[in-house]
PDB file of all heavy atoms in Angstrom:
ATOM      1  N   ASN A 212       0.824  -1.212   0.000  1.00  0.00           N
ATOM      2  CA  ASN A 212       0.000   0.000   0.000  1.00  0.00           C
ATOM      3  C   ASN A 212       0.858   1.261   0.000  1.00  0.00           C
ATOM      4  O   ASN A 212       0.537   2.237  -0.693  1.00  0.00           O
ATOM      5  CB  ASN A 212      -0.928   0.018   1.212  1.00  0.00           C
ATOM      6  CG  ASN A 212      -2.043  -0.984   1.085  1.00  0.00           C
ATOM      7  OD1 ASN A 212      -2.415  -1.378  -0.011  1.00  0.00           O
ATOM      8  ND2 ASN A 212      -2.577  -1.414   2.217  1.00  0.00           N
ATOM      9  N   LEU A 213       1.937   1.256   0.756  1.00  0.00           N
ATOM     10  CA  LEU A 213       2.831   2.413   0.807  1.00  0.00           C
ATOM     11  C   LEU A 213       3.487   2.652  -0.552  1.00  0.00           C
ATOM     12  O   LEU A 213       3.589   3.790  -1.015  1.00  0.00           O
ATOM     13  CB  LEU A 213       3.881   2.191   1.894  1.00  0.00           C
ATOM     14  CG  LEU A 213       4.764   3.357   2.281  1.00  0.00           C
ATOM     15  CD1 LEU A 213       3.929   4.535   2.759  1.00  0.00           C
ATOM     16  CD2 LEU A 213       5.728   2.915   3.373  1.00  0.00           C
ATOM     17  N   PHE A 214       3.918   1.581  -1.210  1.00  0.00           N
ATOM     18  CA  PHE A 214       4.546   1.720  -2.512  1.00  0.00           C
ATOM     19  C   PHE A 214       3.559   2.294  -3.537  1.00  0.00           C
ATOM     20  O   PHE A 214       3.879   3.225  -4.281  1.00  0.00           O
ATOM     21  CB  PHE A 214       5.095   0.377  -2.999  1.00  0.00           C
ATOM     22  CG  PHE A 214       5.775   0.453  -4.332  1.00  0.00           C
ATOM     23  CD1 PHE A 214       7.005   1.073  -4.452  1.00  0.00           C
ATOM     24  CD2 PHE A 214       5.189  -0.075  -5.463  1.00  0.00           C
ATOM     25  CE1 PHE A 214       7.645   1.158  -5.680  1.00  0.00           C
ATOM     26  CE2 PHE A 214       5.815   0.006  -6.693  1.00  0.00           C
ATOM     27  CZ  PHE A 214       7.039   0.621  -6.804  1.00  0.00           C
ATOM     28  N   PHE A 215       2.342   1.743  -3.569  1.00  0.00           N
ATOM     29  CA  PHE A 215       1.363   2.237  -4.530  1.00  0.00           C
ATOM     30  C   PHE A 215       0.900   3.650  -4.187  1.00  0.00           C
ATOM     31  O   PHE A 215       0.608   4.443  -5.090  1.00  0.00           O
ATOM     32  CB  PHE A 215       0.182   1.283  -4.655  1.00  0.00           C
ATOM     33  CG  PHE A 215       0.509   0.077  -5.492  1.00  0.00           C
ATOM     34  CD1 PHE A 215       0.434  -1.196  -4.953  1.00  0.00           C
ATOM     35  CD2 PHE A 215       0.910   0.213  -6.803  1.00  0.00           C
ATOM     36  CE1 PHE A 215       0.744  -2.305  -5.718  1.00  0.00           C
ATOM     37  CE2 PHE A 215       1.226  -0.892  -7.580  1.00  0.00           C
ATOM     38  CZ  PHE A 215       1.150  -2.160  -7.033  1.00  0.00           C
ATOM     39  N   ALA A 216       0.848   3.980  -2.916  1.00  0.00           N
ATOM     40  CA  ALA A 216       0.507   5.356  -2.536  1.00  0.00           C
ATOM     41  C   ALA A 216       1.586   6.319  -3.014  1.00  0.00           C
ATOM     42  O   ALA A 216       1.282   7.442  -3.448  1.00  0.00           O
ATOM     43  CB  ALA A 216       0.334   5.459  -1.024  1.00  0.00           C
ATOM     44  N   SER A 217       2.853   5.883  -2.978  1.00  0.00           N
ATOM     45  CA  SER A 217       3.917   6.760  -3.477  1.00  0.00           C
ATOM     46  C   SER A 217       3.833   6.908  -4.989  1.00  0.00           C
ATOM     47  O   SER A 217       4.182   7.958  -5.532  1.00  0.00           O
ATOM     48  CB  SER A 217       5.293   6.243  -3.055  1.00  0.00           C
ATOM     49  OG  SER A 217       5.692   5.118  -3.815  1.00  0.00           O
ATOM     50  N   LEU A 218       3.367   5.879  -5.681  1.00  0.00           N
ATOM     51  CA  LEU A 218       3.175   6.011  -7.131  1.00  0.00           C
ATOM     52  C   LEU A 218       2.075   7.013  -7.443  1.00  0.00           C
ATOM     53  O   LEU A 218       2.197   7.820  -8.371  1.00  0.00           O
ATOM     54  CB  LEU A 218       2.838   4.655  -7.753  1.00  0.00           C
ATOM     55  CG  LEU A 218       3.970   3.634  -7.818  1.00  0.00           C
ATOM     56  CD1 LEU A 218       3.445   2.330  -8.403  1.00  0.00           C
ATOM     57  CD2 LEU A 218       5.127   4.154  -8.629  1.00  0.00           C
ATOM     58  N   ILE A 219       0.998   6.978  -6.678  1.00  0.00           N
ATOM     59  CA  ILE A 219      -0.082   7.946  -6.873  1.00  0.00           C
ATOM     60  C   ILE A 219       0.408   9.343  -6.507  1.00  0.00           C
ATOM     61  O   ILE A 219       0.077  10.327  -7.173  1.00  0.00           O
ATOM     62  CB  ILE A 219      -1.323   7.541  -6.055  1.00  0.00           C
ATOM     63  CG1 ILE A 219      -1.927   6.264  -6.627  1.00  0.00           C
ATOM     64  CG2 ILE A 219      -2.349   8.661  -6.027  1.00  0.00           C
ATOM     65  CD1 ILE A 219      -3.017   5.649  -5.790  1.00  0.00           C
ATOM     66  N   GLY A 220       1.215   9.438  -5.460  1.00  0.00           N
ATOM     67  CA  GLY A 220       1.770  10.727  -5.055  1.00  0.00           C
ATOM     68  C   GLY A 220       2.699  11.332  -6.103  1.00  0.00           C
ATOM     69  O   GLY A 220       2.875  12.554  -6.152  1.00  0.00           O
ATOM     70  N   SER A 221       3.261  10.480  -6.957  1.00  0.00           N
ATOM     71  CA  SER A 221       4.142  11.006  -8.003  1.00  0.00           C
ATOM     72  C   SER A 221       3.374  11.856  -9.010  1.00  0.00           C
ATOM     73  O   SER A 221       3.972  12.672  -9.713  1.00  0.00           O
ATOM     74  CB  SER A 221       4.860   9.860  -8.727  1.00  0.00           C
ATOM     75  OG  SER A 221       3.961   9.130  -9.542  1.00  0.00           O
ATOM     76  N   TRP A 222       2.068  11.686  -9.073  1.00  0.00           N
ATOM     77  CA  TRP A 222       1.254  12.498  -9.980  1.00  0.00           C
ATOM     78  C   TRP A 222       1.257  13.964  -9.566  1.00  0.00           C
ATOM     79  O   TRP A 222       1.026  14.826 -10.399  1.00  0.00           O
ATOM     80  CB  TRP A 222      -0.178  11.998 -10.015  1.00  0.00           C
ATOM     81  CG  TRP A 222      -0.361  10.612 -10.536  1.00  0.00           C
ATOM     82  CD1 TRP A 222       0.546   9.857 -11.217  1.00  0.00           C
ATOM     83  CD2 TRP A 222      -1.530   9.812 -10.411  1.00  0.00           C
ATOM     84  NE1 TRP A 222       0.023   8.634 -11.515  1.00  0.00           N
ATOM     85  CE2 TRP A 222      -1.251   8.577 -11.032  1.00  0.00           C
ATOM     86  CE3 TRP A 222      -2.766  10.001  -9.829  1.00  0.00           C
ATOM     87  CZ2 TRP A 222      -2.196   7.546 -11.102  1.00  0.00           C
ATOM     88  CZ3 TRP A 222      -3.695   8.985  -9.901  1.00  0.00           C
ATOM     89  CH2 TRP A 222      -3.414   7.771 -10.526  1.00  0.00           C
ATOM     90  N   VAL A 223       1.493  14.216  -8.273  1.00  0.00           N
ATOM     91  CA  VAL A 223       1.534  15.606  -7.793  1.00  0.00           C
ATOM     92  C   VAL A 223       2.955  16.053  -7.476  1.00  0.00           C
ATOM     93  O   VAL A 223       3.156  17.060  -6.810  1.00  0.00           O
ATOM     94  CB  VAL A 223       0.610  15.809  -6.556  1.00  0.00           C
ATOM     95  CG1 VAL A 223      -0.841  15.637  -6.938  1.00  0.00           C
ATOM     96  CG2 VAL A 223       1.010  14.888  -5.423  1.00  0.00           C
ATOM     97  N   GLY A 224       3.938  15.273  -7.930  1.00  0.00           N
ATOM     98  CA  GLY A 224       5.325  15.684  -7.786  1.00  0.00           C
ATOM     99  C   GLY A 224       6.077  15.108  -6.604  1.00  0.00           C
ATOM    100  O   GLY A 224       7.228  15.465  -6.380  1.00  0.00           O
ATOM    101  N   TRP A 225       5.449  14.246  -5.821  1.00  0.00           N
ATOM    102  CA  TRP A 225       6.158  13.635  -4.695  1.00  0.00           C
ATOM    103  C   TRP A 225       7.086  12.538  -5.218  1.00  0.00           C
ATOM    104  O   TRP A 225       6.835  11.944  -6.265  1.00  0.00           O
ATOM    105  CB  TRP A 225       5.181  13.050  -3.689  1.00  0.00           C
ATOM    106  CG  TRP A 225       4.309  14.059  -3.014  1.00  0.00           C
ATOM    107  CD1 TRP A 225       4.474  15.407  -3.014  1.00  0.00           C
ATOM    108  CD2 TRP A 225       3.138  13.799  -2.255  1.00  0.00           C
ATOM    109  NE1 TRP A 225       3.473  16.005  -2.287  1.00  0.00           N
ATOM    110  CE2 TRP A 225       2.633  15.034  -1.811  1.00  0.00           C
ATOM    111  CE3 TRP A 225       2.459  12.654  -1.906  1.00  0.00           C
ATOM    112  CZ2 TRP A 225       1.492  15.147  -1.035  1.00  0.00           C
ATOM    113  CZ3 TRP A 225       1.323  12.765  -1.127  1.00  0.00           C
ATOM    114  CH2 TRP A 225       0.849  14.002  -0.697  1.00  0.00           C
ATOM    115  N   PRO A 226       8.141  12.210  -4.488  1.00  0.00           N
ATOM    116  CA  PRO A 226       9.062  11.164  -4.950  1.00  0.00           C
ATOM    117  C   PRO A 226       8.448   9.770  -4.809  1.00  0.00           C
ATOM    118  O   PRO A 226       7.637   9.529  -3.911  1.00  0.00           O
ATOM    119  CB  PRO A 226      10.279  11.313  -4.030  1.00  0.00           C
ATOM    120  CG  PRO A 226       9.729  11.937  -2.795  1.00  0.00           C
ATOM    121  CD  PRO A 226       8.605  12.825  -3.238  1.00  0.00           C
ATOM    122  N   VAL A 227       8.832   8.882  -5.696  1.00  0.00           N
ATOM    123  CA  VAL A 227       8.389   7.485  -5.624  1.00  0.00           C
ATOM    124  C   VAL A 227       9.346   6.740  -4.699  1.00  0.00           C
ATOM    125  O   VAL A 227      10.564   6.865  -4.821  1.00  0.00           O
ATOM    126  CB  VAL A 227       8.382   6.843  -7.023  1.00  0.00           C
ATOM    127  CG1 VAL A 227       8.032   5.368  -6.940  1.00  0.00           C
ATOM    128  CG2 VAL A 227       7.411   7.569  -7.931  1.00  0.00           C
ATOM    129  N   LEU A 228       8.785   5.979  -3.778  1.00  0.00           N
ATOM    130  CA  LEU A 228       9.619   5.206  -2.857  1.00  0.00           C
ATOM    131  C   LEU A 228      10.216   4.002  -3.571  1.00  0.00           C
ATOM    132  O   LEU A 228       9.575   3.409  -4.450  1.00  0.00           O
ATOM    133  CB  LEU A 228       8.785   4.714  -1.671  1.00  0.00           C
ATOM    134  CG  LEU A 228       8.201   5.765  -0.747  1.00  0.00           C
ATOM    135  CD1 LEU A 228       7.338   5.106   0.314  1.00  0.00           C
ATOM    136  CD2 LEU A 228       9.295   6.579  -0.093  1.00  0.00           C
ATOM    137  N   THR A 229      11.415   3.641  -3.180  1.00  0.00           N
ATOM    138  CA  THR A 229      12.005   2.409  -3.702  1.00  0.00           C
ATOM    139  C   THR A 229      11.329   1.227  -3.004  1.00  0.00           C
ATOM    140  O   THR A 229      10.727   1.385  -1.932  1.00  0.00           O
ATOM    141  CB  THR A 229      13.520   2.367  -3.433  1.00  0.00           C
ATOM    142  OG1 THR A 229      13.731   2.277  -2.022  1.00  0.00           O
ATOM    143  CG2 THR A 229      14.216   3.583  -4.007  1.00  0.00           C
ATOM    144  N   PRO A 230      11.437   0.033  -3.582  1.00  0.00           N
ATOM    145  CA  PRO A 230      10.865  -1.134  -2.891  1.00  0.00           C
ATOM    146  C   PRO A 230      11.445  -1.348  -1.489  1.00  0.00           C
ATOM    147  O   PRO A 230      10.725  -1.748  -0.576  1.00  0.00           O
ATOM    148  CB  PRO A 230      11.201  -2.290  -3.830  1.00  0.00           C
ATOM    149  CG  PRO A 230      11.244  -1.661  -5.182  1.00  0.00           C
ATOM    150  CD  PRO A 230      11.859  -0.303  -4.953  1.00  0.00           C
ATOM    151  N   VAL A 231      12.720  -1.069  -1.316  1.00  0.00           N
ATOM    152  CA  VAL A 231      13.342  -1.238   0.006  1.00  0.00           C
ATOM    153  C   VAL A 231      12.744  -0.248   1.004  1.00  0.00           C
ATOM    154  O   VAL A 231      12.435  -0.612   2.149  1.00  0.00           O
ATOM    155  CB  VAL A 231      14.878  -1.082  -0.080  1.00  0.00           C
ATOM    156  CG1 VAL A 231      15.503  -1.066   1.296  1.00  0.00           C
ATOM    157  CG2 VAL A 231      15.468  -2.186  -0.933  1.00  0.00           C
ATOM    158  N   GLN A 232      12.574   1.000   0.583  1.00  0.00           N
ATOM    159  CA  GLN A 232      11.952   1.991   1.464  1.00  0.00           C
ATOM    160  C   GLN A 232      10.524   1.593   1.803  1.00  0.00           C
ATOM    161  O   GLN A 232      10.080   1.771   2.945  1.00  0.00           O
ATOM    162  CB  GLN A 232      11.963   3.366   0.795  1.00  0.00           C
ATOM    163  CG  GLN A 232      13.319   3.987   0.661  1.00  0.00           C
ATOM    164  CD  GLN A 232      13.294   5.238  -0.198  1.00  0.00           C
ATOM    165  OE1 GLN A 232      12.499   5.344  -1.127  1.00  0.00           O
ATOM    166  NE2 GLN A 232      14.164   6.187   0.121  1.00  0.00           N
ATOM    167  N   SER A 233       9.820   1.042   0.830  1.00  0.00           N
ATOM    168  CA  SER A 233       8.445   0.618   1.077  1.00  0.00           C
ATOM    169  C   SER A 233       8.384  -0.540   2.068  1.00  0.00           C
ATOM    170  O   SER A 233       7.515  -0.575   2.939  1.00  0.00           O
ATOM    171  CB  SER A 233       7.773   0.210  -0.232  1.00  0.00           C
ATOM    172  OG  SER A 233       7.689   1.300  -1.111  1.00  0.00           O
ATOM    173  N   VAL A 234       9.308  -1.471   1.947  1.00  0.00           N
ATOM    174  CA  VAL A 234       9.335  -2.606   2.882  1.00  0.00           C
ATOM    175  C   VAL A 234       9.667  -2.128   4.286  1.00  0.00           C
ATOM    176  O   VAL A 234       9.027  -2.547   5.268  1.00  0.00           O
ATOM    177  CB  VAL A 234      10.336  -3.684   2.403  1.00  0.00           C
ATOM    178  CG1 VAL A 234      10.607  -4.704   3.495  1.00  0.00           C
ATOM    179  CG2 VAL A 234       9.815  -4.371   1.158  1.00  0.00           C
ATOM    180  N   LEU A 235      10.634  -1.237   4.407  1.00  0.00           N
ATOM    181  CA  LEU A 235      10.985  -0.719   5.733  1.00  0.00           C
ATOM    182  C   LEU A 235       9.813   0.063   6.334  1.00  0.00           C
ATOM    183  O   LEU A 235       9.513  -0.067   7.524  1.00  0.00           O
ATOM    184  CB  LEU A 235      12.232   0.155   5.653  1.00  0.00           C
ATOM    185  CG  LEU A 235      13.524  -0.575   5.306  1.00  0.00           C
ATOM    186  CD1 LEU A 235      14.673   0.410   5.141  1.00  0.00           C
ATOM    187  CD2 LEU A 235      13.851  -1.629   6.336  1.00  0.00           C
ATOM    188  N   GLY A 236       9.146   0.855   5.520  1.00  0.00           N
ATOM    189  CA  GLY A 236       7.960   1.562   5.998  1.00  0.00           C
ATOM    190  C   GLY A 236       6.838   0.611   6.357  1.00  0.00           C
ATOM    191  O   GLY A 236       6.109   0.825   7.329  1.00  0.00           O
ATOM    192  N   GLY A 237       6.702  -0.471   5.583  1.00  0.00           N
ATOM    193  CA  GLY A 237       5.680  -1.474   5.882  1.00  0.00           C
ATOM    194  C   GLY A 237       5.941  -2.192   7.191  1.00  0.00           C
ATOM    195  O   GLY A 237       5.009  -2.534   7.916  1.00  0.00           O
ATOM    196  N   LEU A 238       7.230  -2.410   7.500  1.00  0.00           N
ATOM    197  CA  LEU A 238       7.564  -3.042   8.777  1.00  0.00           C
ATOM    198  C   LEU A 238       7.142  -2.166   9.949  1.00  0.00           C
ATOM    199  O   LEU A 238       6.689  -2.666  10.978  1.00  0.00           O
ATOM    200  CB  LEU A 238       9.067  -3.334   8.848  1.00  0.00           C
ATOM    201  CG  LEU A 238       9.583  -4.419   7.914  1.00  0.00           C
ATOM    202  CD1 LEU A 238      11.109  -4.488   7.979  1.00  0.00           C
ATOM    203  CD2 LEU A 238       8.965  -5.758   8.242  1.00  0.00           C
ATOM    204  N   VAL A 239       7.288  -0.864   9.779  1.00  0.00           N
ATOM    205  CA  VAL A 239       6.913   0.069  10.856  1.00  0.00           C
ATOM    206  C   VAL A 239       5.399   0.248  10.908  1.00  0.00           C
ATOM    207  O   VAL A 239       4.781   0.125  11.967  1.00  0.00           O
ATOM    208  CB  VAL A 239       7.623   1.427  10.656  1.00  0.00           C
ATOM    209  CG1 VAL A 239       7.116   2.453  11.649  1.00  0.00           C
ATOM    210  CG2 VAL A 239       9.123   1.259  10.758  1.00  0.00           C
ATOM    211  N   LEU A 240       4.793   0.543   9.767  1.00  0.00           N
ATOM    212  CA  LEU A 240       3.344   0.790   9.735  1.00  0.00           C
ATOM    213  C   LEU A 240       2.532  -0.486   9.934  1.00  0.00           C
ATOM    214  O   LEU A 240       1.347  -0.419  10.269  1.00  0.00           O
ATOM    215  CB  LEU A 240       2.958   1.444   8.411  1.00  0.00           C
ATOM    216  CG  LEU A 240       3.489   2.847   8.187  1.00  0.00           C
ATOM    217  CD1 LEU A 240       3.134   3.330   6.790  1.00  0.00           C
ATOM    218  CD2 LEU A 240       2.951   3.791   9.233  1.00  0.00           C
ATOM    219  N   GLY A 241       3.167  -1.626   9.752  1.00  0.00           N
ATOM    220  CA  GLY A 241       2.465  -2.891   9.944  1.00  0.00           C
ATOM    221  C   GLY A 241       2.112  -3.170  11.393  1.00  0.00           C
ATOM    222  O   GLY A 241       1.154  -3.901  11.668  1.00  0.00           O
ATOM    223  N   VAL A 242       2.858  -2.597  12.331  1.00  0.00           N
ATOM    224  CA  VAL A 242       2.601  -2.865  13.758  1.00  0.00           C
ATOM    225  C   VAL A 242       1.227  -2.348  14.190  1.00  0.00           C
ATOM    226  O   VAL A 242       0.403  -3.128  14.672  1.00  0.00           O
ATOM    227  CB  VAL A 242       3.730  -2.292  14.640  1.00  0.00           C
ATOM    228  CG1 VAL A 242       3.394  -2.417  16.109  1.00  0.00           C
ATOM    229  CG2 VAL A 242       5.041  -2.992  14.330  1.00  0.00           C
ATOM    230  N   PRO A 243       0.920  -1.049  14.035  1.00  0.00           N
ATOM    231  CA  PRO A 243      -0.406  -0.600  14.478  1.00  0.00           C
ATOM    232  C   PRO A 243      -1.543  -1.164  13.630  1.00  0.00           C
ATOM    233  O   PRO A 243      -2.629  -1.444  14.142  1.00  0.00           O
ATOM    234  CB  PRO A 243      -0.342   0.926  14.379  1.00  0.00           C
ATOM    235  CG  PRO A 243       0.779   1.214  13.456  1.00  0.00           C
ATOM    236  CD  PRO A 243       1.741   0.076  13.578  1.00  0.00           C
ATOM    237  N   ALA A 244      -1.288  -1.354  12.344  1.00  0.00           N
ATOM    238  CA  ALA A 244      -2.341  -1.901  11.474  1.00  0.00           C
ATOM    239  C   ALA A 244      -2.667  -3.342  11.866  1.00  0.00           C
ATOM    240  O   ALA A 244      -3.841  -3.727  11.954  1.00  0.00           O
ATOM    241  CB  ALA A 244      -1.908  -1.832  10.016  1.00  0.00           C
ATOM    242  N   THR A 245      -1.649  -4.124  12.134  1.00  0.00           N
ATOM    243  CA  THR A 245      -1.870  -5.518  12.527  1.00  0.00           C
ATOM    244  C   THR A 245      -2.510  -5.600  13.908  1.00  0.00           C
ATOM    245  O   THR A 245      -3.374  -6.448  14.149  1.00  0.00           O
ATOM    246  CB  THR A 245      -0.541  -6.289  12.509  1.00  0.00           C
ATOM    247  OG1 THR A 245       0.029  -6.185  11.201  1.00  0.00           O
ATOM    248  CG2 THR A 245      -0.751  -7.747  12.845  1.00  0.00           C
TER     249      THR A 245
END
């Protein structure tokens, strides 16, 4: 979800996250979501 959100954010000029950044963010954001 974080990776695809960064792709959508690129439409307004935000940077696209790399897969590694997305995985690291998923590890952090996965705790409260889970």
Side-chain angles (χ1 to χ4, degrees):
N212 288 336
L213 190 58
F214 181 72
F215 283 120
S217 75
L218 289 177
I219 292 171
S221 71
W222 297 346
V223 293
W225 295 346
V227 175
L228 296 176
T229 66
V231 172
Q232 291 171 328
S233 297
V234 167
L235 293 175
L238 291 174
V239 173
L240 293 175
V242 173
T245 303

